[in-house]
Every structure is written in structure tokens, then in C-alpha cells.
Amino acid sequence: MSVPTGRRLTAESRERQIVEGAIAYFAEVGLDGHTRELARRLGIAQPLLFRYFPTKASLIERIYEEVYLKRWKLGWEETVRDASLPCLERFRRFEMDYQRTIDDYAWLRIFVSAGLKGFDLPSRYLGMVRERIFAPLLEDMRAESNLPSPQAQPLVADEFELLFGIHGALVYVGLRSRVYGMDGTADRDAVRAAMLDAALPGLLATHRRVVTRARPVNPIGE
């Protein structure tokens, strides 16, 4: 992305140009790309880039807001708490819309690069998924299965892993194409729906075993 000679941008337009260019650049080369090269691609001097974003870290934080936080939907949180639906249907609806939303070149490639290069972007974002989506869903899965509430028996890591395992498999459908460059189906929605059809029927039974296995054993006499 370059700016024609003589063109003067407003501060808002220049900032938008930098952010959009940075998203495209880091999606292509990874988050270890250099701001000097980014500025060259944008057709601006590096000091001008730093006038808007004093550090590379501040630019990456803005990318996190633009690519990840702005695409987060409060409707996902409402879906997983919708008591009118069985828990597995809530999980299905969340995953189908979530996966469609993140199946994006920049979203997936920057996310993978951030994890490989030691940035905290993935852990922060997956923490949101864990606490805002999976924790309330697991609580209601326990209630649906007549298991102890998290207040009586705290949620354990293995419960979250059940959901993250299915979740990660669905993400991989997009990763194969966007990150690894492997040809896949043109209808990724249909593939993910089929994967959920295969995974969900046994989820509650497996979850019950995980929770039961994690129950503390009372000493004899108590």
C-alpha cells in the first residue's frame, strides 16, 4: 500500500492507512516483521509511522483491537447462556458463527505468528473464550447432567480441554488454507457442521466422566 506523491492525508486517514497496511504486512510476514519495511511499503518515512505509533508494541496492540476485539460478538456470550436451548445446541451455534467470523487470512495468520513469536495476544484472546464462553457453558452442562455446580466443585482444566479440543479442530479447517496453503473444501461451513455432528453426541457423557473423575474423595468416616 503506497500513497501517491503529493497526496496529503488527514491524521485520521493516515492512521487508518498505517493500521490497515500493518495488518496486511504482518499477516504476510509475521509479527517479527520490521517497521522500517512496513513504512517503505506504505510509502512513508519511519519517523512518521512512529508519530502515530511510538513503538511496535503499540502498533501490535492496535492490531489486536482491530482484528480481534472488534470482531468479538456479545451475541456469542448471549448464545451460550440461552437457557431455552440445550447446552450442545448452544455450543453448536456459537462455534458455527465464531468459526465463520475468524476464518480470515489476517486473523488466523497473525494469531499463529503471535503465538510462535511469544506475543501474549493468543493467550489474552483465548482467555476471553475460556471465561466468557466455555466457563458458563460448562457450568450449564453440569446442571444439565445433574453434576455439582462449580461453586461446590470448581471447574477443572480437563473440562475446558474437552471444549478447546473440538474448538481447535474446527479452527484447523481454516488454518489449512489460510496458513498452510493447502487446498480444502470450498464449503467450510458444511465441513464444520459435519465435524460437530460427529463430536457432540458423546460430549455430555464424556464430560460427566471427567467431572466424576475429578471429584475429591472424602476420607473414611466423613
Side-chain angles (χ1 to χ4, degrees), residues 53 55-69 119-121 124:
F53 297 96
T55 63
K56 182 179 176 181
S58 65
L59 179 56
I60 291 173
E61 185 64 24
R62 178 61 178 276
I63 290 172
Y64 178 61
E65 294 172 5
E66 291 286 329
V67 178
Y68 300 95
L69 297 185
F119 291 89
D120 68 352
L121 182 158
R124 289 163 61 190

Side-chain angles (χ1 to χ4, degrees), residues 4 38 46 49 60 65 101-102 117 122 134 143 164 187 218:
L38 170 60
Q46 192 178 24
L49 189 154
I60 291 173
E65 294 172 5
T101 300
I102 73 161
K117 301 303 177 181
F134 290 170
F164 271 120
D187 190 351
N218 292 329

Side-chain angles (χ1 to χ4, degrees), residues 14-203:
R14 179 68 74 186
E15 182 177 310
R16 172 51 50 186
Q17 177 216 19
I18 292 171
V19 171
E20 291 179 356
I23 291 169
Y25 172 66
F26 288 123
E28 177 189 342
V29 307
L31 288 183
D32 54 350
H34 299 291
T35 55
R36 181 178 290 104
E37 174 61 17
L38 170 60
R40 188 193 68 78
R41 292 193 182 195
L42 291 170
I44 64 176
Q46 192 178 24
L48 177 58
L49 189 154
F50 285 138
R51 186 183 305 169
Y52 288 88
F53 297 96
T55 63
K56 182 179 176 181
S58 65
L59 179 56
I60 291 173
E61 185 64 24
R62 178 61 178 276
I63 290 172
Y64 178 61
E65 294 172 5
E66 291 286 329
V67 178
Y68 300 95
L69 297 185
K70 286 188 177 181
R71 296 190 191 188
W72 183 271
K73 299 180 182 180
L74 293 179
W76 295 336
E77 300 177 44
E78 295 168 358
T79 294
V80 298
R81 295 177 181 274
D82 185 352
S84 70
L85 297 171
C87 290
L88 297 188
E89 179 59 23
R90 299 183 218 171
F91 187 42
R92 175 188 292 276
R93 293 189 185 190
F94 159 72
E95 286 292 353
M96 289 300 295
D97 191 58
Y98 177 91
Q99 299 296 337
R100 191 179 300 118
T101 300
I102 73 161
D103 192 348
D104 172 82
Y105 181 86
W107 200 108
L108 291 169
R109 291 178 65 90
I110 291 174
F111 200 85
V112 171
S113 173
L116 291 173
K117 301 303 177 181
F119 291 89
D120 68 352
L121 182 158
S123 61
R124 289 163 61 190
Y125 187 85
L126 291 177
M128 290 171 55
V129 174
R130 187 183 194 277
E131 297 307 319
R132 299 186 188 184
I133 303 297
F134 290 170
L137 186 61
L138 286 168
E139 179 172 3
D140 285 354
M141 286 170 61
R142 284 196 182 189
E144 197 168 303
S145 296
N146 296 313
L147 294 167
S149 72
Q151 291 71 39
Q153 179 185 336
L155 297 171
V156 296
D158 286 354
E159 293 179 80
F160 288 100
E161 287 302 312
L162 283 177
L163 301 189
F164 271 120
I166 297 171
H167 181 78
L170 297 171
V171 173
Y172 183 70
V173 175
L175 285 178
R176 276 207 321 274
S177 172
R178 308 289 191 183
V179 176
Y180 306 133
M182 299 171 62
D183 291 334
T185 177
D187 190 351
R188 291 201 276 269
D189 272 358
V191 169
R192 293 187 184 106
M195 292 170 68
L196 286 166
D197 286 343
L200 293 185
L203 179 57

